[in-house]
Amino acid sequence: MTYTQELKKMIQKRDPNETEFIQATSEVLDSISLALDDHPEYIESGVLDRMIEPERQIIFRVPWVDDQGAVQVNRGYRVEFNSALGPYKGGLRFHSSVNLGIIKFLGFEQIFKNALTGLPMGGGKGGSDFDPHGKSDSEVMRFCQSFMSELYRHIGQFKDVPAGDIGVGKREIGFLFGQYKRLANEYSGVLTGKDLSYGGSLLRTQATGYGLLYFTKAMTDDHGLNLKDKLCVISGSGNVAIYAAYKAKELGLKVIAMSDSDGYIYDKEGIDIDLVQTIKEVKRARIKTYINDRPKAEYHKGSKGIWQIKCDVALPCATQNEMDLLDAKTLVQNGVQVVAEGANMPLSREASDYLVQNKILYGPAKAANAGGVAVSGLEMSQNSLRLKWSVEEVDERLKKIMNDIYREASLTAAKYGQKDNLIVGANIAGFLRVAEAMYLQGVV
Ligand code: NDP
Ligand code: 2IT
């Protein structure tokens, strides 16, 4: 058995129920085995054995009182995975499905994603099984305050800097920041994704979606493919999906479908993105109400049906494992040319392997969606400098970071004999950066 196979077996044995964590670590370990021959020192100093185990995992009770006066109890998590390159950095997810395995997979991915940005950030992730759907603003505030009442002692601008993810946007970050400031008696850049009025960065809201399209353009330009008038399907209708849709439209693509966890809308004439934004962000309503204003569009129940729609470019921007092998086969049959991941690990392992085998231009999440955390890194810089960069300045830096990530993943893939396999390229490039820092810092 090879060294990486042994590590995979150990993870299975230690945490057999953490299926998403097993999936994410297997993919990375398979990719980097190609690079280990050049680095016996990483094996000898146990870099990999250490890398797959979080530095610290915090699990805590989050009690709060709902609008009816009833006591509710949720479970909170923060997994501080790796601090070789900088303070732990990564989002918070509030969704009913959240468990330790999901937070660990997200934290593990974040280590390599953050490394790829070239900014000084370690990897972490947190969240809760709290479901914000249908909760009042006051309930969300009380929950966030209770969540932060425990989390505040573990985080800090030089320790661990959380941000948003599914179910955590501007509103939640505001409540979390207010409570942190009160408890710590300190005004610092302890969270990113803040509103502009209290230290946020211009373009952080748009960054993941815009970055996804900058990455996609770098990849298609490199292969001589023009995106103009290409049909584009985007799953999800949250923060990432909405700004991916805006930038796709700006680049000349035609976005024809979007979804939420109940179903999808198909609008042949092109999705009215402002309308989707109003429905999801302002009204916090369901995407099916889109057809009330656009009667020629169709609504279909079941979010997975979206991959049946014929398109050139597919951008999964909802959640993990939302596209399986069958979906990938359907997309390829329908002539898809590009798949780029806005969500974290949206494709099953079989689905991503199938796309690579079929030579589809495929941008894996830790490279393609790194724009969000990259601008979080820029927000941290601005907070430290106590100044604010213009939209143009942030956009320019974001574009450069996404282009650099594409180039590095692509060159690394070619170097290891896997031309155009950006899974291998991104995993090895991110790994080498973290591994070297861990090696030089000794066994800690
Ligand atoms: P939001 O909460 O803003 O939106 C999530 C969207 O995905 C909603 O449309 C939601 O539908 C849908 N969704 C969530 N869970 C499921 C599910 N189990 N099945 C089907 N649809 C689902 O989150 P974000 O847009 O921020 O995050 C989307 C993805 O992007 C996640 O994978 C996240 O980890 C990743 N990501 C986010 C970044 C960021 O900066 N925010 C950065 C990099 C990656 P509904 O409204 O019905 O719940
Ligand atoms: O998955 C991700 O990269 C995020 N949710 C963003 C993390 C961040 O710290 O901005």
Side-chain angles (χ1 to χ4, degrees):
M1 206 185 288
T2 66
Y3 176 50
T4 50
Q5 281 166 344
E6 271 172 32
L7 290 172
K8 284 188 350 185
K9 211 171 138 198
M10 188 169 78
I11 295 169
Q12 291 258 9
K13 198 168 153 217
R14 249 189 207 158
D15 297 304
N17 302 320
E18 297 178 354
T19 49
E20 291 86 359
F21 182 60
I22 291 169
Q23 184 183 340
T25 46
S26 299
E27 185 206 277
V28 170
L29 288 168
D30 288 346
S31 295
I32 62 173
S33 61
L34 295 169
L36 286 178
D37 285 348
D38 300 341
H39 293 285
E41 74 279 17
Y42 295 163
I43 300 179
E44 280 150 28
S45 62
V47 160
L48 274 164
D49 305 65
R50 290 183 279 135
M51 206 179 263
I52 55 173
E53 184 66 10
E55 289 177 21
R56 190 177 297 111
Q57 313 184 48
I58 303 145
I59 303 183
F60 50 99
R61 179 171 69 199
V62 189
W64 57 283
V65 179
D66 69 20
D67 285 347
Q68 282 68 50
V71 173
Q72 303 285 342
V73 179
N74 287 99
R75 188 171 284 178
Y77 300 88
R78 186 71 184 167
V79 172
E80 298 181 331
F81 220 120
N82 193 300
S83 61
L85 297 182
Y88 311 105
K89 180 83 195 88
L92 297 170
R93 176 178 291 191
F94 293 169
H95 192 269
S96 52
S97 65
V98 163
N99 59 40
L100 184 59
I102 288 181
I103 298 299
K104 276 177 69 182
F105 117 67
L106 290 163
F108 183 74
E109 292 283 292
Q110 201 81 46
I111 304 169
F112 307 99
K113 182 196 302 191
N114 295 4
L116 284 169
T117 66
L119 300 172
M121 299 182 289
K125 201 86 184 190
S128 174
D129 57 4
F130 174 75
D131 178 6
H133 290 112
K135 303 287 192 301
S136 68
D137 285 351
S138 340
E139 287 177 321
V140 170
M141 182 176 76
R142 287 195 295 276
F143 173 80
C144 288
Q145 290 175 341
S146 178
F147 185 85
M148 187 52 87
S149 296
E150 173 57 35
L151 189 67
Y152 89 99
R153 66 187 92 247
H154 306 290
I155 62 176
Q157 60 169 332
F158 300 118
K159 274 189 204 145
D160 182 353
V161 184
D165 193 81
I166 292 178
V168 178
K170 276 269 167 66
R171 175 181 61 170
E172 291 74 17
I173 293 291
F175 296 148
L176 290 164
F177 183 81
Q179 184 74 352
Y180 178 85
K181 184 167 63 69
R182 187 177 190 195
L183 293 172
N185 190 25
E186 173 192 292
Y187 201 116
S188 66
V190 66
L191 294 163
T192 61
K194 301 183 291 297
D195 189 72
L196 296 177
S197 61
Y198 63 92
S201 173
L202 284 160
L203 281 192
R204 174 61 189 91
T205 308
Q206 297 85 347
T208 313
Y210 280 16
L212 176 66
L213 269 295
Y214 293 153
F215 183 92
T216 302
K217 186 163 170 1
M219 180 165 70
T220 50
D221 281 353
D222 195 31
H223 289 80
L225 184 73
N226 191 344
L227 289 173
K228 188 125 185 43
D229 297 326
K230 296 284 181 207
L231 296 183
C232 178
V233 164
I234 301 180
S235 65
S237 48
N239 173 265
V240 179
I242 286 173
Y243 292 98
Y246 276 122
K247 189 52 83 175
K249 192 172 171 196
E250 201 183 308
L251 294 178
L253 291 108
K254 188 172 181 188
V255 181
I256 51 171
M258 293 182 79
S259 61
D260 63 16
S261 54
D262 293 335
Y264 68 93
I265 48 168
Y266 173 48
D267 191 337
K268 271 205 288 285
E269 289 164 11
I271 296 276
D272 178 342
I273 307 162
D274 288 343
L275 179 56
V276 172
Q277 186 179 30
T278 304
I279 292 169
K280 297 300 287 188
E281 286 184 357
V282 182
K283 297 186 181 163
R284 296 187 187 271
R286 309 307 301 163
I287 206 159
K288 69 174 171 214
T289 59
Y290 180 89
I291 55 171
N292 299 345
D293 288 284
R294 301 270 291 187
K296 281 198 198 143
E298 300 167 17
Y299 173 73
H300 298 269
K301 267 194 189 159
S303 48
K304 268 177 74 76
I306 198 167
W307 307 125
Q308 307 284 323
I309 298 171
K310 186 175 161 51
C311 64
D312 305 300
V313 177
L315 304 176
C317 294
T319 194
Q320 66 273 359
N321 291 322
E322 54 169 310
M323 190 192 290
D324 60 21
L325 178 59
L326 208 63
D327 301 322
K329 285 185 170 169
T330 308
L331 282 167
V332 172
Q333 250 166 29
N334 285 337
V336 81
Q337 292 171 287
V338 180
V339 178
E341 299 181 335
N344 284 308
M345 204 169 72
L347 271 66
S348 71
R349 180 71 186 271
E350 294 75 22
S352 56
D353 285 349
Y354 184 81
L355 294 182
V356 171
Q357 280 154 21
N358 282 273
K359 306 276 178 221
I360 305 302
L361 296 184
Y362 169 61
K366 57 173 84 62
N369 75 26
V373 76
V375 175
S376 278
L378 301 180
E379 184 172 330
M380 290 166 74
S381 303
Q382 293 168 81
N383 290 162
S384 295
L385 293 166
R386 302 193 184 288
L387 50 74
K388 216 174 216 167
W389 293 331
S390 66
V391 171
E392 292 74 25
E393 204 164 347
V394 178
D395 199 33
E396 202 49 47
R397 287 175 194 264
L398 171 61
K399 235 180 243 169
K400 179 170 178 345
I401 291 171
M402 299 316 294
N403 283 326
D404 288 351
I405 292 176
Y406 171 72
R407 193 152 16 89
E408 191 178 8
S410 169
L411 289 174
T412 308
K415 179 176 168 194
Y416 288 93
Q418 303 280 314
K419 191 170 171 334
D420 293 334
N421 184 339
L422 299 181
I423 304 180
V424 165
N427 282 337
I428 294 181
F431 165 75
L432 289 176
R433 234 173 234 168
V434 182
E436 186 62 12
M438 286 179 74
Y439 173 65
L440 294 173
Q441 290 172 27
V443 179
V444 288

